[in-house]
Amino acid sequence: MMIMSQPYQWVAIKHPRLEKHQLTFWLVQPESASLFVSGNKQLKLKYHISEVQQQHKEGILTFGGAFSNHLVATAVTCSQIGIPCTGLVRTDQLDVSNPTMSACRQAGMQLIALHRQQYKQRQDPSWLCQLQQEYPDRLIVPEGGTSPYGVNGVAELNLAVTPTGKTDVLITATGSGGTLAGLAIGHPDCQTLGIAVVKDTSLPGKIAALSQQQSNWHLIDNFVGKGYGRFDDSLLQFCLDFKQQTTISLEPIYTGKAMQAIFKLIAEDYFKPGTNLVFLHTGGLQGLAGLLYRGLISQQHYDLLMN
Ligand SMILES: Cc1ncc(COP(=O)(O)O)c(C=O)c1O
């Protein structure tokens, strides 16, 4: 059940604003054969998968929204290695024709709807204990794959040296906090910066608890906009322009929201001249099909962002 570690692709980002502020900027993408298991996903799942074996479980049970990158990454990974999985989905009514749910189903994930009130219990220890009794053969993986196992997988990334020298600031989009915590642990000599894409006042506490006493991380939470999953025309246009200028695909929920924030921070002189910035591309492009499905982006936008 061992998952091999992935090589990365470094892409130099060129932009007049970077030149003006004397910054170098690298985007790094873990290489992936699957759109569904891209970015941070394989890393976050790696030690959960080995834990299934260690704890003599048969499969995985996890949580996510109806368009969750983590749910579909888990479904596809479990299918690839031949273990069963169950997804508890935050929704009042399962729509199995939504592209994410459909991919989960195709990969063999058992899908169970949890209405919003029930879903709120997903971190409640006594509810989790009950759930474990109901599903004794499943390893329960928290939402987003964020647990000490998920963090340890991300901590194995080695992004401390870019093709042009030492990384000064390593940046990621932050949802449940595991990726930022893992980057901080794995890069004790770099500053790590999370751009929050969710409104969650408990997030700094969670990251502190997961980051093994590291203090080299900082969370910026004023670019969430109207909330998780919400975006305006300017953010969508930013993703389209970025694609045209760099050929890199972003989506407006995670990577695009974080990237737009980075360019705003640069304009505000947030980074010292001479800084070598690195952005971890955490994947999530499967989510664009869900935005198209809900009519939140047009077919033309989808084609421009994906191709
Ligand atoms: C595409 C993408 N980027 C960033 C993140 C945020 O990672 P984390 O939840 O570890 O903060 C997620 C969630 O896992 C994601 O799906």
Side-chain angles (χ1 to χ4, degrees):
M1 280 212 266
M2 202 53 215
I3 293 189
M4 302 301 286
S5 60
Q6 307 148 274
Y8 333 119
Q9 189 196 1
W10 292 92
V11 182
I13 304 296
K14 302 283 175 205
H15 191 279
R17 195 175 298 172
L18 294 163
E19 268 172 48
K20 181 175 167 209
H21 292 261
Q22 297 164 47
L23 299 167
T24 41
F25 190 13
W26 289 94
L27 178 143
V28 62
Q29 287 179 300
E31 285 179 8
S32 162
S34 165
L35 179 72
F36 296 117
V37 196
S38 54
N40 55 356
K41 303 293 169 287
Q42 188 172 320
L43 298 158
K44 282 180 139 192
L45 287 169
K46 178 179 172 181
Y47 288 110
H48 287 112
I49 299 290
S50 36
E51 216 37 42
V52 169
Q53 218 168 26
Q54 293 285 323
Q55 296 187 22
H56 305 291
K57 303 279 186 194
E58 281 172 15
I60 280 179
L61 177 147
T62 192
F63 310 88
F67 296 91
S68 162
N69 297 319
H70 164 70
L71 271 187
V72 69
T74 305
V76 170
T77 303
C78 288
S79 149
Q80 283 167 352
I81 58 178
I83 63 170
C85 62
T86 302
L88 302 190
V89 187
R90 184 188 60 230
T91 183
D92 292 335
Q93 176 125 37
L94 263 183
D95 171 10
V96 289
S97 44
N98 117 24
T100 305
M101 291 296 98
S102 158
C104 286
R105 264 236 305 213
Q106 231 170 19
M109 182 177 249
Q110 175 194 24
L111 294 169
I112 298 171
L114 274 192
H115 62 71
R116 276 157 212 281
Q117 230 29 50
Q118 278 178 308
Y119 194 86
K120 282 191 182 146
Q121 296 177 292
R122 69 195 179 280
Q123 289 166 355
D124 174 347
S126 69
W127 186 74
L128 287 171
C129 197
Q130 234 177 291
L131 193 66
Q132 188 69 84
Q133 282 169 6
E134 231 177 288
Y135 295 89
D137 65 344
R138 294 285 198 268
L139 179 81
I140 298 181
V141 175
E143 186 179 55
T146 284
S147 73
Y149 301 122
V151 167
N152 286 343
V154 175
E156 288 184 355
L157 274 172
N158 183 357
L159 309 176
V161 181
T162 73
T164 54
K166 181 188 170 301
T167 300
D168 295 312
V169 186
L170 187 45
I171 310 169
T172 184
T174 297
S176 55
T179 306
L180 180 59
L183 289 178
I185 293 166
H187 300 83
D189 297 329
C190 302
Q191 283 306 311
T192 58
L193 180 64
I195 311 287
V197 299
V198 296
K199 282 187 181 156
D200 177 1
T201 51
S202 70
L203 200 45
K206 284 184 195 155
I207 298 165
L210 287 164
S211 59
Q212 301 173 6
Q213 327 280 328
Q214 289 293 326
S215 56
N216 59 331
W217 61 270
H218 180 63
L219 184 70
I220 293 189
D221 64 2
N222 54 333
F223 293 101
V224 185
K226 291 212 167 114
Y228 173 71
R230 311 276 295 272
F231 61 94
D232 57 17
D233 289 347
S234 92
L235 175 48
L236 180 58
Q237 193 55 50
F238 176 87
C239 296
L240 291 162
D241 293 344
F242 194 83
K243 172 79 186 194
Q244 203 193 13
Q245 288 157 7
T246 66
T247 76
I248 300 286
S249 295
L250 303 173
E251 43 64 45
I253 312 299
Y254 289 97
T255 53
K257 198 172 259 190
M259 186 62 80
Q260 189 190 41
I262 293 168
F263 274 85
K264 286 181 182 167
L265 289 169
I266 292 171
E268 291 167 9
D269 285 322
Y270 182 85
F271 304 105
K272 271 200 323 242
T275 303
N276 200 16
L277 304 172
V278 174
F279 179 73
L280 173 63
H281 194 306
T282 41
L285 296 177
Q286 71 85 29
L288 286 168
L291 298 181
L292 175 63
Y293 179 76
R294 285 177 283 172
L296 298 174
I297 61 172
S298 67
Q299 183 70 51
Q300 191 199 8
H301 291 152
Y302 177 82
D303 293 341
L304 286 168
L305 289 171
M306 281 303 276
N307 301 318

